[in-house]
Amino acid sequence: MTSPMTRSRLFSTASAAAMAAAAMALLTGCASGPAHPPPSPALSEAAATAFKHQAGWQPLSKMAPGAISSATEPWWRVFNDAELDRLMQTASAGNLDIAQATARDRQARALWRQAGAIRSPQLGVSASALRTESSSASGDTTYTAGLQASWALDLWGRLARAQDAASANAQATMADVAAARLSTQLSLAEQYWRLRVIDRQLALLDRTLAAYERSLQLTRHQYDAGLAARADVIQAETQWQTLRARVHDLQLQRALHEHALAVLSGQAPADLSLPVAANALPAVPVAPPQMPSLLLTRRPDVVAAERRVAQANAQIGVAQAAWWPDITLGATAGGSGPRLGSLFSAPWRTWSLGPALAATLLDGGQRRAGVDAAEARYEETVAAYRQAVLTSLREVDDALAALQQLAAKAEQQARLVALAEENERVVSTRYRAGMVGFLEVVVAQNLTLESQRTALDVTAERLVASVRLIAALGGGWQGVPDAAAPASSDGGM
């Protein structure tokens, strides 16, 4: 039992300690560890302001950072394809990679809230009933109940830095969700356009098969009339049957792309069946004539890398704060006695109030090693951030180079298709007139078919390259002023 005089002295001492702790708490804002300036990508001036394959694009210095607004529309709608839009919506809701990233984001947010809760005062309650017996005395029961409160005074900023690290990690995982979504959309768009190009190739083979069958019938009639050799008939039928075998190859490729689309959209392959589309392929979008390097700040992988630098920087502060003692202000109130009903009445009630200090005097270099590890982790994340920036620049330049070369190749291929079709018409006319053998017809027809198929392949690569450019820019060039209209495409074959 504590006397009134003793309680008075304890209260005075505790009040003084509390006032001292409150004064020291004013220093909480002086968190340990370095501040977090955004790390420099450590690139050359040319790399920071221009792309290698950027003909006609404005330099970065000619555009204010605020000139680009946030993206608001789904980037794939630039293709104006209702089926692609439906698949994208399904994938957004059902893709399992996105679901995993979303779950990790929820975990990070929960850890951030947990780190913030540790900085708040804690309140707990306890109760017990203890029965003791001995051979020389009758049994005794002791009841105990109490209320405990504590508050860790974050004088050196350790808890604040831990919360900063948790906050940066939560922001990084949020960017990871966006990165998973963008990666899924990129893969889905690539698979979709390759499937649609196969549909156009199947349509081309159907038309070519019909032409080959007409050539076969004509050759058979000429053979029956004694105007053609049996070898010409065999050659015409071989050509026709070979093309029919190619149809099966394309149908297999189409099935594989369809299965990939099903998994990307979170479905089993048996649950997705896309009908063959006979409509023309869309125009290849053209990027606007502004320097797009500002758009790289939208890339979710770059954002995530920068946030992980901030997290590692905050962890340095946590490691440095371990050198300083922990101070906790605690208070308890309760009672302990032989009767449950009298626990909170004199003389059984008790209370206490005061600060507690804990510090490590000797740890064999453990704290120094912790700081070294945190600093090394920070350097690692800075290098990862710079690598993410370099990768983004490379991917944009790759896509720009591909689009430039494929556009030139498409023009050249269109001329080849026109020449091959004209050659086939001339040779077919000469064959019907009996001026050339069927072998020349076969060569001309195969040349036309291969040139048309190559043109479709080039269109597919252009569409895929445009999708990769959109993804490399973090989701397209939406929000950039004066965006150019889509260019014409040769995909309508």
Side-chain angles (χ1 to χ4, degrees), residues 49 93 116 203 210 232 331 337 340 358 378 399 411:
T49 59
D232 290 345
L340 187 61
Y378 174 78
E411 293 180 4

Side-chain angles (χ1 to χ4, degrees), residues 1-2 7 123-128 142-149 331-337 339-353:
M1 176 177 173
T2 307
R7 288 201 302 269
L123 184 65
V125 64
S126 63
S128 67
T142 302
Y143 298 95
T144 303
L147 193 66
Q148 300 88 30
T332 62
S336 177
R339 293 187 301 277
L340 187 61
S342 62
L343 285 181
F344 300 101
S345 61
W348 310 111
R349 63 173 178 262
T350 60
W351 61 269
S352 65
L353 174 66

Side-chain angles (χ1 to χ4, degrees), residues 251-407:
Q251 288 174 340
L252 173 59
Q253 294 177 31
R254 189 184 193 280
L256 297 179
H257 289 305
E258 192 176 62
H259 297 167
L261 287 171
V263 173
L264 286 168
S265 57
Q267 305 175 66
D271 295 333
L272 179 66
S273 180
L274 296 177
V276 175
N279 53 302
L281 295 171
V284 177
V286 176
Q290 274 79 24
M291 180 63 200
S293 60
L294 288 173
L295 292 171
L296 296 182
T297 59
R298 291 182 187 172
R299 277 183 61 124
D301 58 337
V302 174
V303 173
E306 190 278 328
R307 287 291 82 202
R308 289 194 164 90
V309 173
Q311 178 189 7
N313 183 79
Q315 291 290 358
I316 295 176
V318 174
Q320 290 177 346
W323 288 91
W324 303 100
D326 294 331
I327 300 178
T328 303
L329 182 63
T332 62
S336 177
R339 293 187 301 277
L340 187 61
S342 62
L343 285 181
F344 300 101
S345 61
W348 310 111
R349 63 173 178 262
T350 60
W351 61 269
S352 65
L353 174 66
L357 182 145
T360 302
L361 299 179
L362 186 63
D363 64 358
Q366 181 177 350
R367 286 171 294 180
R368 180 66 261 174
V371 173
D372 290 344
E375 290 175 347
R377 171 62 180 162
Y378 174 78
E379 293 173 2
E380 177 189 357
T381 57
V382 169
Y385 166 72
R386 291 172 176 169
Q387 182 64 48
V389 174
L390 283 175
T391 300
S392 67
L393 291 171
R394 187 209 72 196
E395 289 177 353
V396 172
D397 261 323
D398 285 351
L400 288 172
L403 286 171
Q404 288 180 7
Q405 296 303 320
L406 289 171

Side-chain angles (χ1 to χ4, degrees), residues 12 16 71 82 108 115 130 136 149 153 204 246 296 323 338 361 393 434 443 452 492:
S12 299
L130 182 63
S136 60
L153 302 180
L204 172 63
R246 285 189 181 183
L296 296 182
W323 288 91
L361 299 179
L393 291 171
V443 173
Q452 290 173 338

Side-chain angles (χ1 to χ4, degrees), residues 448-472:
T448 300
L449 175 61
E450 291 306 317
S451 63
Q452 290 173 338
R453 288 188 62 185
T454 301
L456 284 172
D457 289 339
V458 172
T459 301
E461 294 305 319
R462 292 182 69 194
L463 287 170
V464 169
S466 67
V467 169
R468 289 177 179 172
L469 175 60
I470 290 172

Side-chain angles (χ1 to χ4, degrees), residues 71-413:
T72 55
E73 290 295 324
W75 59 264
W76 59 86
R77 289 183 180 169
V78 70
F79 296 104
N80 196 26
D81 189 289
E83 188 64 38
L84 177 61
D85 185 64
R86 184 187 68 81
L87 286 171
M88 287 292 188
Q89 299 297 334
T90 304
S92 180
N95 181 267
L96 297 180
D97 289 333
I98 298 176
Q100 293 178 63
T102 302
R104 287 192 292 269
D105 180 48
R106 291 202 307 270
Q107 295 174 42
R109 289 171 181 268
L111 292 174
W112 169 61
R113 294 196 306 270
Q114 187 180 62
I118 294 175
R119 301 181 64 188
S120 303
Q122 309 293 310
L123 184 65
V125 64
S126 63
S128 67
L130 182 63
R131 177 73 178 178
T132 59
E133 296 277 357
S134 69
S135 58
S136 60
S138 60
D140 234 355
T141 301
T142 302
Y143 298 95
T144 303
L147 193 66
Q148 300 88 30
S150 64
W151 181 27
L153 302 180
D154 194 19
L155 302 181
W156 325 117
R158 180 179 61 85
L159 299 181
R161 283 298 193 175
Q163 187 178 14
D164 290 343
S167 175
N169 183 56
Q171 292 167 349
T173 56
M174 188 190 311
D176 287 340
V177 175
R181 184 176 289 109
L182 183 60
S183 176
T184 298
Q185 292 167 351
L186 169 61
S187 298
L188 190 146
E190 286 189 7
Q191 296 288 342
Y192 180 79
W193 290 128
R194 293 192 186 282
L195 181 143
R196 286 311 183 204
V197 168
I198 289 177
D199 287 347
R200 299 301 303 158
Q201 289 181 341
L202 286 171
L204 172 63
L205 288 190
D206 285 343
R207 296 194 301 270
T208 307
L209 278 171
Y212 283 9
E213 189 172 10
R214 289 193 297 270
S215 296
L216 174 61
Q217 295 301 328
L218 174 62
T219 305
R220 283 173 175 170
H221 293 327
Q222 290 183 335
Y223 172 71
D224 293 339
L227 300 176
R230 175 63 181 164
D232 290 345
V233 177
I234 295 174
Q235 200 167 40
E237 187 164 3
T238 300
Q239 182 189 38
W240 181 58
Q241 295 291 355
T242 301
L243 196 59
R244 290 183 64 186
R246 285 189 181 183
V247 173
H248 298 293
D249 294 335
L250 286 179
Q251 288 174 340
L252 173 59
Q253 294 177 31
R254 189 184 193 280
L256 297 179
H257 289 305
E258 192 176 62
H259 297 167
L261 287 171
V263 173
L264 286 168
S265 57
Q267 305 175 66
D271 295 333
L272 179 66
S273 180
L274 296 177
V276 175
N279 53 302
L281 295 171
V284 177
V286 176
Q290 274 79 24
M291 180 63 200
S293 60
L294 288 173
L295 292 171
L296 296 182
T297 59
R298 291 182 187 172
R299 277 183 61 124
D301 58 337
V302 174
V303 173
E306 190 278 328
R307 287 291 82 202
R308 289 194 164 90
V309 173
Q311 178 189 7
N313 183 79
Q315 291 290 358
I316 295 176
V318 174
Q320 290 177 346
W323 288 91
W324 303 100
D326 294 331
I327 300 178
T328 303
L329 182 63
T332 62
S336 177
R339 293 187 301 277
L340 187 61
S342 62
L343 285 181
F344 300 101
S345 61
W348 310 111
R349 63 173 178 262
T350 60
W351 61 269
S352 65
L353 174 66
L357 182 145
T360 302
L361 299 179
L362 186 63
D363 64 358
Q366 181 177 350
R367 286 171 294 180
R368 180 66 261 174
V371 173
D372 290 344
E375 290 175 347
R377 171 62 180 162
Y378 174 78
E379 293 173 2
E380 177 189 357
T381 57
V382 169
Y385 166 72
R386 291 172 176 169
Q387 182 64 48
V389 174
L390 283 175
T391 300
S392 67
L393 291 171
R394 187 209 72 196
E395 289 177 353
V396 172
D397 261 323
D398 285 351
L400 288 172
L403 286 171
Q404 288 180 7
Q405 296 303 320
L406 289 171
K409 185 176 180 180
E411 293 180 4
Q412 182 67 27
Q413 193 63 37

